[in-house]
Structure formats: C-alpha cells, structure tokens
Amino acid sequence: MPKFDYSLNYAELDLRAHPELYRVGVGEQGVLLVQPYKSEILPHWRFATPEVARESSEAIYGMFLAYLEAGDFVGADMARKFLQMGFTRARRYANHRGGKKYEGPVPEGKKGQSGAHGRPERPRDPEDPVKAESARIFKAKWEEAEANVEYARMKREHRARFG
C-alpha cells in the first residue's frame, strides 16, 4: 500500500484540484496537512465532553456524506480521518491526563507525523470516563464511515487509479 507522501508542500497544495497527488496512507496520516479539507473540517473537530463529541462527530460525518455526494473521495477520506482522530485523541486523553502519551519531545524531522519515534510511552493514568465516552462516540461514527459502501468503492477506485 502506498504511503502518505510527506514530501509534498501541503501548505501551498490544493488537493481538491489535484486529487491524483493524494495517497490514503495508513490511519490518520496527513489529517492535519491536506488542504482545503483541513481548513474545512478542523473547526468542527472537538471532543472535550460527550455532548461536544456527539455534535462534532455528527457534523464531520455530515461533511463525509456531502463529500461522497459530490464525488470528492479525498474530502470523504479526510473526514473519515478526522473521525478516527476524534477517537484516538479522546482515547489518549482518557488514558493520559493532559494528553501526553510519550516521554520527551518529538524528534526533529518527525513533527506533524504520528508515532512514538523511539520515545517510551508514559504510564497510563486512571481512565477519564468523560473522554472515554467521547472516544466511543467518535469510534461509532468512524466505523459508520468505514462501513459506507460508496466510500469503499471510491477508495478502491482512487487506489487503482493513483496508487
């Protein structure tokens, strides 16, 4: 499976105009880079409480459906990534007070990329039930997006066409 291409200048690249340059990658790769979708979706992304997470995940899922309706696979995939990130970040805060999962700073050259990058994981705190519920809410919407038949078809077509 082709990896997400971190070498592109995403700050100046419009992936709606150039979907051929987009690679799905793994998980949430590129979620905070790909424009114009980052600017469209990020303002709706919140998970502080279950109520906020429900409103956020429903808004982002609505955007996911709108992107599908418009035939915009990149937008739909980015919305899916934001739903996934809502789950993973809420889980991180449920497990680690303050959201800091790893010891030490992110190594140079790895900023903006997810992962431990050789850093040890900090011990888990007692689970925060509020953030755990926010995570469950986002996970349900993420799974709904992943199960969408039209999304799966468009994903296969995008990968077959562009890698």
Side-chain angles (χ1 to χ4, degrees):
M1 173 181 322
K3 294 185 178 191
F4 185 83
D5 186 354
Y6 284 101
S7 71
L8 298 176
N9 183 359
Y10 290 99
E12 296 181 15
L13 187 59
D14 178 343
L15 269 289
R16 181 172 286 129
H18 295 283
E20 72 279 3
L21 297 176
Y22 180 74
R23 298 297 173 269
V24 174
V26 177
E28 304 160 28
Q29 289 181 327
V31 70
L32 295 175
L33 295 174
V34 176
Q35 293 290 6
Y37 308 104
K38 173 189 166 186
S39 295
E40 293 171 359
I41 303 168
L42 185 60
H44 303 282
W45 184 73
R46 302 285 180 268
F47 59 87
T49 67
E51 296 77 23
V52 168
R54 190 167 290 105
E55 182 179 316
S56 174
S57 64
E58 288 173 4
I60 294 169
Y61 187 75
M63 295 175 84
F64 168 82
L65 294 175
Y67 289 130
L68 288 180
E69 181 71 25
D72 185 345
F73 169 73
V74 179
D77 197 51
M78 292 302 297
R80 188 268 312 160
K81 287 182 182 198
F82 270 94
L83 292 169
Q84 182 175 357
M85 187 170 68
F87 165 68
T88 60
R89 294 309 184 279
R91 276 302 327 157
R92 178 178 292 179
Y93 279 82
N95 295 335
H96 301 279
R97 192 174 18 261
K100 188 170 169 143
K101 184 175 180 179
Y102 300 107
E103 296 289 348
V106 176
E108 283 303 316
K110 297 294 183 180
K111 293 188 185 334
Q113 298 179 30
S114 62
H117 308 297
R119 299 171 296 156
E121 186 172 328
R122 297 167 48 116
R124 290 184 177 200
D125 294 313
E127 183 178 79
D128 177 331
V130 172
K131 295 299 187 290
E133 180 60 21
S134 292
R136 281 189 285 279
I137 291 165
F138 265 100
K139 187 170 194 253
K141 283 296 181 191
W142 169 35
E143 289 174 341
E144 195 174 342
E146 286 281 1
N148 184 290
V149 175
E150 181 64 8
Y151 168 74
R153 183 192 65 74
M154 290 173 79
K155 185 177 184 179
R156 280 191 309 275
E157 285 181 7
H158 186 86
R159 283 188 165 150
R161 240 178 121 191
F162 305 120

